[in-house]
Structures are given as structure tokens and as C-alpha cells.
Amino acid sequence: MKTKLLSLLFIFLSGTILAQGVVKGRIFNPVNNEPVAFANVLILETELGAISDEDGNYEIQNVPPGLYNIRASFVGYKTVTKYEIQVSQAKAIQLDFELQEDASELSEVVVSSEFTRSEETPLSVRRLNTNEIERYPGGNRDISRVIQSLPGVASTASFRNDILIRGGAPNENKFFIDEIEVPVINHFATQGSSGGPVGILNVNLIKNVDVITGGFPANRMNSLSSFFEFELKEGRRDEMFTQLTVGASELTLSNEGPIGDKTTYLFSARRSYLQGLFRLLGLPFLPTFNDFQVKTTTKLNDKTELTFLGVGAIDNFVLNQDIPDDETEEERENRLYLLGVLPIQEQWNYATGLKLKRFRENGFWTFVLSRNMLNNRSFKYANNDESSEDNLIFDYLSQESENKFRAENSIFGTGYTLKYGVNYEYSRYLIENFDRATLSSTGQVIDISSISNFNSYGAFISGSKTFDGERLLLTGGIRMDGSDFGRTAQNPLNQISPRISVSYQLKPNLFATANAGIYYQRPPYTVLGFRNNEGELINQQNDVRFIRNNQLIAGIELLQPEKNRRFTAEAFYKRYSNYPSSVLNGISLANLGADFGVIGNEAVISNSDGRAYGIEFLAQQRLFNDFYGIAALTLVRSEFTNPNTEGFIPSSWDNRIILSLTAGKRFKKNWEIGARWRYLGGTPYTPFDVEESALISNWDLRNQGILDFTQINGERLPAFHQLDLRVDKKYYFKNWNLNWYFDIQNAYNFQAQQAPLLVPERDDAGDLVVNPNDPSRYQLKLIENTAGNILPTIGLIIEF
């Protein structure tokens, strides 16, 4: 009996069940949605393959479980390779291919792959697929962390997901999912910015993501540093499929399948139990988050496709006032400081949208109708005593809602493309703000309740044309945008955005690229809807403007598709103007956004300028001979002007050097290990005004120090570096799959220096000590502030 049990256990753990997998899907022309019949589909480095039928459908049977690169090709069409496709025996793999017609007359055209460069964005584009996102060391299946491996991308050294692209602020990025804009992709988002500690999007649903850091297409608007184009999978057309993921901080359920003959769906829901872990660790704050995603795709007929998307999140942030038994003096000071400054926060957001795509022989129309909303409330009582309203320091509630419509026509001809379109947006901003602290030095109290409405509009036209047998590609476009939030902004002719890109094929695998463009971004609603105590839209009276960014980019790209390799080098220069700066503090808002709270809820003037410039290098090896890796190096300078300073000074995002090294290796029996090492140069920070902070009237009201904005970014932190490790093991069974992983973030426990904390000294009873030489002030001191702990994570992924 014991021998039989051991045999069964061996079979279970070895994952060597001999049943085979199936790969099937559809091959079609993305221009007109017509099937590509008799195309060849080949699983590389095997003898397995198939030919599509008259409807473009194919099926490959008896595929051993594993990870494969799969290629589709047909005469007169550009070859496409899909990388790292995970085949199992639990369910057939649904893998569709989009094959575009090839007008080239050259015999030495590069074989297309996932490194293929879009005609609209021939430079500054990086793509990550599902497997790269899932296995990323230290990423914890969070796309916002995974993209930190790419060149030009920095982040803060804390636990947040702020995305800093080429020296730009975290609010300069825009996110699209299946061409529908989703403003918030992180939990506990900083209003007026884009960061947060945890991503909302479930990697189980993501097909791939393109990160565009320059040379933006003309049909994208309202961003200065990057666009993220997420493409979700299409739900299974044959049967239901479920994935259950248990991680260190959350439980995730994903499900997909057909709804009738014409509709498929994807669904995901996640619930965190992070608050329980934080309570066990004795941390002074307890976050809870929930999120959901849903997508349906309906083939109304052969030429019409309707997509519905829904994304949402509910976040709560409360304080933990329990005192840990083994607390040190330093930990006590940090805990009391955080309890004194952190607010209680309640936030929820959602984005929904419909996309209708109508194909014809030479192109398609795309219509997008969407709505999104952010509800953000936070409040704080002195000493966290809610027994009396007299203790209320601030109570902030705001809502941002947007209703958007966009129509685009895409026309494809021999050697050229043409696109044009229009967009309109109606938005509503509500704010109820009671604040004793912000203007404490003046004795004023902010007490505002108002609603503002805005109309924004735009149009674009763009095109691309190939010459010299597709060696030379020229891409150009122009768009203009307007909005009624200010006198200058309401005239679209003041926001004309021309752009042009050129790409030349020097050799079959070598390209030279360049781009020049002007881009505009609307200031955040916190700026547009701010009212003073008299109820005036003071920033509109100050004629707040669209933020402008002029960009120049030049680069070179070497592809080695036969080995799945890519090498790029790009130099960039960005020149900002019309950036809002704070009237109260005299600091450019470009320096804000990497912390919890609200950015821009104050009077501003559009008078700050900036510049960011540098060079970045990328070496990328997709899975080849069971090895993969990414090496990215960026040398960057980021500087802005401020009313309180003369000339350009380093911005809060001036890392100087960003280095990321990621590598992994697959072994037999479905074992995989990976590692990532990151190095970020230290960023500047603004020191405290100790004398002003120490005033009893200020400290009692604010419970935190006041920054000395006459020394904006006058100090610099040491460099940050971190090693992350990951081990994966997969098992394939007849009707289900099992994947467990072990992830270690910050493996050697590096303690990242952050700006020091200013805290009051306390006596033995815990009371604040008054300065004996100045009874109007407390006695304050600076204490070291570090971030960094070894964070091990064990996760299970079950698919059935």
C-alpha cells in the first residue's frame, strides 16, 4: 500500500502525465478582418505545425506541455512570431494571428516578430508579453513594477508604483486598454498624479503591453511622457477556463469563456488581505483593496466587432494604533510620526467603455464611447481624536468624472496609411474641502464646496508612407486640442501639435530612427476646478494653460530575429513650458506627485519651464535556448525652473543614472529561476524649515514639518539598488495546471535612504517637549528615514 501511495505521489509531483496539448486559433488580416486561408503555422524548434482552412482556422494537436515560440506565415503577408506561448493539456491554447499584407519588393526584408515596429511609432516602443509579466522577479505580477525593467523608466525607492519616464513626472503618463482610456491603474492613487502602491490590472487577462516613450501617434492626446497600450486577451470561444491565484497579499479569481456563438467574455476579481499582514507586522496603517475587470467581445457580423470594457477598484486606508510589544525607540518615533500625518482614506474608481470597429476592404472605422470616475475622500483629526469636530484638521472629498467620445477612420493602401478622427469630452469636477493646515501660517481656513464642468475637444490627421522598397518610412501627423478651462486653452489653434518620424533601414536588420514633435497635456482637475474661499475659479482667472512639451529623439536599432534579440540606443531631449507652479509655495508642480494625497489643489500660474535629456540603451533577449534577459541603461538629467529659484535646478525625478538587469533560465521538468538587479541614482529633495515647523501653532495643527521652498531640491539622497529573485515550478495534469512560485524582493535587505523625518522630542510621559529657550516652539529633531525590507512571497496559480 505504501509503495502505491509513493508511486502516485511521484506521478503528481513530476508533472509527467503523458497527455498532450492543443494549439488552435484564427489567422486573419487586421485591416479588413478577412481570414487568411492556407497560411502556415509552425511551432519553432519542433516538427509540429498546421495549415489554416478557408475560414482562417487552424489546429495543432499532440503538443507536449511547455513553452514555445510559434510562427505564422503566408506568401504576400508579413510573417508574425508569437513568443513564449505556454501549452498545457488542461485546455487548448487559443492563439490568433494578425497577418498584414506585405507590399515590399525586397528579398531581404526582416522577418517580422514581436520586435516589429509600428508605422505610427517606429521608435521608443517596447513590448512585454504575458509570460514576461508573470515571471518578472520582484514584480509580484504587477505590470507597473514590471515595466521598470525597460530603458528610460525610473521609480521611487519606496513601495509605490510611480512611473517616471525619461525624467518626467508621474502624472505625465496615459493608459489605454483595448483603445479605451483608463485614467487610474493603481490602488490608492495620488489624485492629480498616477502612482500608487499596488496595480489594479490582473496580469492573467493581459495579452501584451506596448510602452511608448516618444514619437507619440497623433490619435493619442493629453500626455507628455508616455502612453501605455494594454491589449487584453479575447475570451475563449470553445469552453470555460478558470484561474485561481493565491499570493502573499491577495486572492484573485479569473474566468473566461463563450456567451453564445458570437460573444466571449473575460472576468477577474481580486480581494486583498494585506491589512491582516500589516497588522501582524505592527505597521501603523492598514490598507485594503478590491478590484475587478470585465471584457466582452461580440462579433456582430464578419465586418463588425463590439467590445465592452469595465475596470474598477475600491480602496480603504485606516490607521492601526495598536502598540507592538517589541517596539524600539526608533520604531516608536516613526510610528508616532506616521500616525500623526497619515490620513484615513477612502477611494474608489471605475472606467467603462464601448468600442465599435467596422471593417471594410481597405480599413476600418473605430468608435469609442467611455466613462470614468474617481471618488477620493480623506480626513484627519488632531491626535486622531474624532470625539470633537474641533479636532478636525482637514476633510477632503472630490469626484472626477469624464464622458468621452472618439471616432477614427483608418485607411490602408499600398505602401501608405492614412488616419483621421475627432474626439469630445465632457467632464465634471466636484470638491468639498475643509482645511485648517495648508494656510496655517496665515491663519486662514479653507472651506470650499463647488462643482465645475469642462468641455474638451480635438481632431487629428496622420499618415505614413514607405519609399525605396520599404527601406525608408516617413510618418507625420498633426492634432489640435482645446478646452474651456482657460482663455488661451479654449482656442485649439493655440495647441497645434505637429509631429514627424523617420526610419531608414541601413541593413536588413539595422534601422536609424528620428522624431520631432510637440505635445500638450491638460493640467489636473485639482488645478482646473480649484476655487478660493470667495468661490472664484482663480486658476481660470490666471489663464492656466495646457502644459507643452517639445521633443527630439534620435536612435539606432539592431534586430537579430533568428536569435530573438534586439539592441537599441536612443538620445532624447524634452523641453517643457507652461507648467503650473504653486502661488503659495513657489514650486513647480512638476516636482510633486510621488506621495499619497492630492496634487494641484491650490492657486497656480503657468510659468514654470523644464527640460529633460539623456541617452538610453537596451539589450533584450527573448526566450532562446531556455534563456531570456533585459539589460537597460539610462543616463538622464531632469531640471525645472521655480518662482523661488533662479534658472534651472534639478527636479525631484533627476536620477542621473538608471540601470536594470533582468535574466532568467528555464530548466528541465518545468523549473525556472529569474533575477533582477536595479540601480537608481539618488534624487533631490527639499529640506525642512525647522524654525517655522517648530512653532507650536503650526505643529499642533499639521503634525508634520514645513518644507523650506527657498531651498527646493537643495539636498540629494544616496543611490538606491535592490536585488529580486524568483523561482517558478509548473505541473501539467489532464484537466488542470498548477504553478507555484517563490519571490524574494530586496534579497540582500538594502536600506534605501529617504528624506529624513522631522519629529518632536518627547518626555518620558510621551508629551512634546517645549524649547526651553523659546516657549513658542517645540523642540524638534531630524531622524533617519529608510525604506527596505526583505519581502518573500509564496504564490499558487491553479488553472482548470
Side-chain angles (χ1 to χ4, degrees), residues 247-404:
S249 60
E250 73 277 339
L251 174 67
T252 306
L253 174 66
S254 307
N255 184 259
E256 60 178 294
I259 305 175
D261 297 332
K262 295 184 177 182
T263 303
T264 63
Y265 73 91
L266 292 171
F267 174 77
S268 168
R270 179 166 57 168
R271 167 71 175 178
S272 80
Y273 38 84
L274 199 62
Q275 67 279 11
L277 176 63
F278 279 29
R279 189 180 292 276
L280 288 174
L281 294 174
L283 296 178
F285 49 90
L286 305 175
T288 303
F289 63 85
N290 307 269
D291 57 55
F292 70 87
Q293 296 169 69
V294 61
K295 174 187 175 181
T296 65
T297 304
T298 303
K299 313 288 187 180
L300 299 176
N301 54 52
D302 291 342
K303 293 294 185 181
T304 310
E305 180 179 288
L306 180 66
T307 301
F308 169 77
L309 177 72
V311 179
I314 302 173
D315 306 325
N316 291 288
F317 189 97
V318 298
L319 301 180
N320 176 20
Q321 302 195 54
D322 296 337
I323 302 175
D325 296 331
D326 56 348
E327 186 177 51
T328 66
E329 180 64 27
E330 182 180 350
E331 290 172 338
R332 174 176 175 268
E333 288 181 332
N334 274 275
R335 179 178 59 82
L336 290 174
Y337 173 80
L338 290 174
L339 287 174
V341 301
L342 289 177
I344 294 175
Q345 186 175 11
E346 302 164 354
Q347 188 178 102
W348 55 261
N349 67 83
Y350 68 82
T352 61
L354 286 170
K355 181 181 71 173
L356 181 69
K357 207 166 188 177
R358 177 65 180 171
F359 294 91
R360 58 181 185 276
E361 187 60 31
N362 67 337
F364 49 82
W365 275 95
T366 303
F367 302 95
V368 177
L369 182 64
S370 66
R371 174 178 169 82
N372 57 264
M373 185 171 182
L374 168 68
N375 185 95
N376 188 25
R377 189 195 175 210
S378 60
F379 59 89
K380 184 69 178 178
Y381 285 82
N383 300 317
N384 299 310
D385 180 6
E386 301 181 27
S387 61
S388 171
E389 289 302 306
D390 293 337
N391 296 329
L392 183 64
I393 299 175
F394 68 84
D395 190 348
Y396 175 87
L397 169 67
S398 76
Q399 294 179 343
E400 300 177 3
S401 60
E402 298 175 328
N403 303 278
K404 302 178 181 179

Side-chain angles (χ1 to χ4, degrees), residues 503-702:
S503 173
Y504 188 75
Q505 187 176 15
L506 301 171
K507 293 183 178 181
N509 299 328
L510 184 63
F511 297 84
T513 56
N515 167 266
I518 300 174
Y519 310 106
Y520 287 93
Q521 179 174 313
R522 187 177 54 209
Y525 289 111
T526 49
V527 167
L528 306 184
F530 174 77
R531 296 178 187 263
N532 59 20
N533 280 350
E534 288 70 42
E536 300 170 319
L537 288 166
I538 190 66
N539 292 329
Q540 290 193 20
Q541 294 180 16
N542 292 338
D543 193 26
V544 65
R545 303 186 180 192
F546 277 86
I547 307 168
R548 174 171 168 156
N549 190 2
N550 299 350
Q551 292 194 21
L552 293 173
I553 307 170
I556 195 165
E557 178 180 28
L558 174 64
L559 301 178
Q560 294 181 344
E562 71 282 356
K563 295 183 180 180
N564 300 346
R565 292 176 186 165
R566 180 191 199 189
F567 302 91
T568 66
E570 288 189 359
F572 59 89
Y573 180 84
K574 301 159 64 174
R575 182 60 186 254
Y576 295 86
S577 57
N578 300 337
Y579 226 112
S581 68
S582 168
V583 173
L584 176 65
N585 298 319
I587 182 173
S588 174
L589 298 194
N591 288 302
L592 305 176
D595 204 351
F596 296 105
V598 178
I599 302 303
N601 185 37
E602 57 182 311
V604 302
I605 299 176
S606 297
N607 63 349
S608 175
D609 297 325
R611 62 190 180 193
Y613 52 93
I615 187 169
E616 59 186 36
F617 304 90
L618 169 71
Q620 183 175 8
Q621 172 70 71
R622 292 197 185 275
L623 186 66
F624 184 74
N625 291 336
D626 292 324
F627 173 82
Y628 57 87
I630 298 178
L633 171 65
T634 303
L635 305 176
V636 60
R637 295 291 298 268
S638 176
E639 302 168 326
F640 276 84
T641 64
N642 301 274
N644 279 352
T645 62
E646 293 184 6
F648 288 93
I649 65 169
S651 78
S652 298
W653 327 115
D654 185 45
N655 288 99
R656 304 288 176 92
I657 180 171
I658 307 165
L659 177 63
S660 177
L661 304 174
T662 306
K665 173 72 175 175
R666 291 180 57 82
F667 297 91
K668 294 180 179 179
K669 296 185 178 180
N670 302 308
W671 284 92
E672 184 175 331
I673 62 171
R676 177 189 70 162
W677 186 73
R678 277 194 308 150
Y679 178 93
L680 297 173
T683 52
Y685 69 92
T686 303
F688 288 106
D689 185 335
V690 179
E691 289 298 309
E692 189 74 12
S693 302
L695 285 171
I696 293 176
S697 56
N698 283 339
W699 190 271
D700 283 348
L701 195 58
R702 301 168 61 94

Side-chain angles (χ1 to χ4, degrees), residues 6 50 52 54 70 115 167 297 437 445 466 612 617 622 689 696 709 766 772:
L6 289 174
S52 61
E54 293 182 351
I70 303 177
F115 294 139
T297 304
V445 175
T466 57
F617 304 90
R622 292 197 185 275
D689 185 335
I696 293 176
F709 288 113

Side-chain angles (χ1 to χ4, degrees), residues 412-452:
F412 298 85
T414 303
Y416 74 91
T417 62
L418 177 67
K419 294 187 177 183
Y420 59 87
V422 295
N423 63 279
Y424 170 75
E425 176 182 320
Y426 172 75
S427 53
R428 174 181 179 271
Y429 177 71
L430 174 148
I431 181 170
E432 296 178 2
N433 187 24
F434 175 83
D435 190 346
R436 300 178 191 269
T438 299
L439 301 176
S440 57
S441 60
T442 67
Q444 292 180 268
V445 175
I446 297 174
D447 192 358
I448 299 170
S449 178
S450 74
I451 295 176
S452 304

